[in-house]
Amino acid sequence: MSLWVKDLRFDYRSFSLRVRDLRIEEARLTAIVGPNGAGKTTLLKCLCALLPVAKDSLFLGRRDIALLSAEERARLIAYVPQEHGSAFNYAVQDFVLMGRAAYIPLLSTPAAADVEIALEALAYVGLRRYASRPYFELSSGERRLVLIARALAQKSDILVLDEPTTFLDPKHETELMDLVRRLAVEKKKTVLLTLHNLDMAVKHADAIVFMKNGGVVAAGAPDDILDEALLESVYEIKMSILRHEGRRFIVK
């Protein structure tokens, strides 16, 4: 399922987001990049309707997100925050089962099929053996994977992640990016994520969206839009793009 942003507007007291026309293609990995305060997280939260959006400004496929119920949205789009805060130290399996909330009737308990889906999601991210472990006993990287597993349990077509590699060491950063890439390729998920690491965006993303001052500066395939003039315009420092063994590296 694709996403179409059409004249999206959102205002804080001291910040305005304005995105006139942006298309996120289905079954692809799209990275949103830009300096701090560019509006990346605000855009993600609008896309997930965590922030209010006006009618006719955002479409999931052909469906206007402003007209969908919370349950309908949960079945279409899953949001993975940077970190999860909870007053309860749930077992990992129970935490992932929360992703089934849109499918479980009120006051009902998860069915065997829901538990199986949760365990399959944990297995996909490599944490099936941690199903009975308390969530807060896991490392930061492992908790990030559990959050992704919870999103996978929603069985939604669109997966949105807010800076999933923050505070991860290079090994776990690479493993996580490999995982979300596989979700686009193997599971045909439409994956949208924000990143600060430009090299990771260039290496893994099918498309990159550059943002600055609450707007989209450029969007498209890396081969089509990436150049040093764009980088300097967005980040206000000189950067060089070097090529080595078929890959591009950004040097500040």
Side-chain angles (χ1 to χ4, degrees), residues 81 158 191 218 237 252:
I158 300 171
V191 182
I237 61 171
K252 303 177 185 66

Side-chain angles (χ1 to χ4, degrees), residues 131-189:
S132 62
R133 290 269 298 272
Y135 176 73
F136 288 123
E137 289 186 9
L138 304 183
S139 69
S140 177
E142 290 165 344
R143 289 199 300 270
R144 205 72 55 88
L145 292 175
V146 172
L147 286 169
I148 294 175
R150 184 181 66 173
L152 291 178
Q154 286 183 228
K155 293 291 185 179
S156 56
D157 292 327
I158 300 171
L159 182 62
V160 175
L161 306 99
D162 189 12
E163 297 186 14
T165 61
T166 300
F167 303 128
L168 297 184
D169 60 55
K171 176 177 182 292
H172 289 95
E173 181 183 44
T174 299
E175 289 175 348
L176 191 143
M177 289 302 299
D178 287 340
L179 170 63
V180 295
R181 179 70 193 164
R182 281 179 23 230
L183 290 173
V185 174
E186 298 176 0
K187 299 288 188 180
K188 304 304 179 185
K189 300 282 188 184

Side-chain angles (χ1 to χ4, degrees), residues 10 25 27 32 35 43 51 83 92 96 109 112 122 133 180 184 189 203 212 215 229-230 234 251-252:
F10 185 82
E25 300 298 333
I32 301 177
L43 176 58
L51 295 174
E83 191 60 87
V92 166
V96 175
T109 57
L122 280 171
R133 290 269 298 272
V180 295
K189 300 282 188 184
K203 178 182 178 181
K212 183 179 181 181
L230 172 63
V234 172
V251 180
K252 303 177 185 66

Side-chain angles (χ1 to χ4, degrees), residues 216-246:
V216 173
V217 177
D223 285 341
D224 295 337
I225 65 170
L226 189 66
D227 60 35
E228 294 173 356
L230 172 63
L231 295 175
E232 183 174 356
S233 172
V234 172
Y235 292 98
E236 299 181 359
I237 61 171
K238 287 190 176 295
M239 298 184 184
S240 299
I241 301 174
L242 304 182
R243 295 180 179 271
H244 177 67
E245 296 183 351

Side-chain angles (χ1 to χ4, degrees), residues 99-111:
R100 300 297 300 160
Y103 302 88
I104 301 172
L106 187 64
L107 303 180
S108 298
T109 57

Side-chain angles (χ1 to χ4, degrees), residues 3-9 18-23 43 47 53-59 64:
L3 277 165
W4 179 28
V5 183
K6 178 187 175 185
D7 197 20
L8 175 65
R9 298 167 177 261
R18 298 286 186 270
V19 180
R20 297 193 177 208
D21 186 16
L22 176 65
R23 296 175 187 268
L43 176 58
L47 296 179
V53 294
K55 183 181 175 182
D56 295 327
S57 64
L58 176 61
F59 296 86
D64 188 334

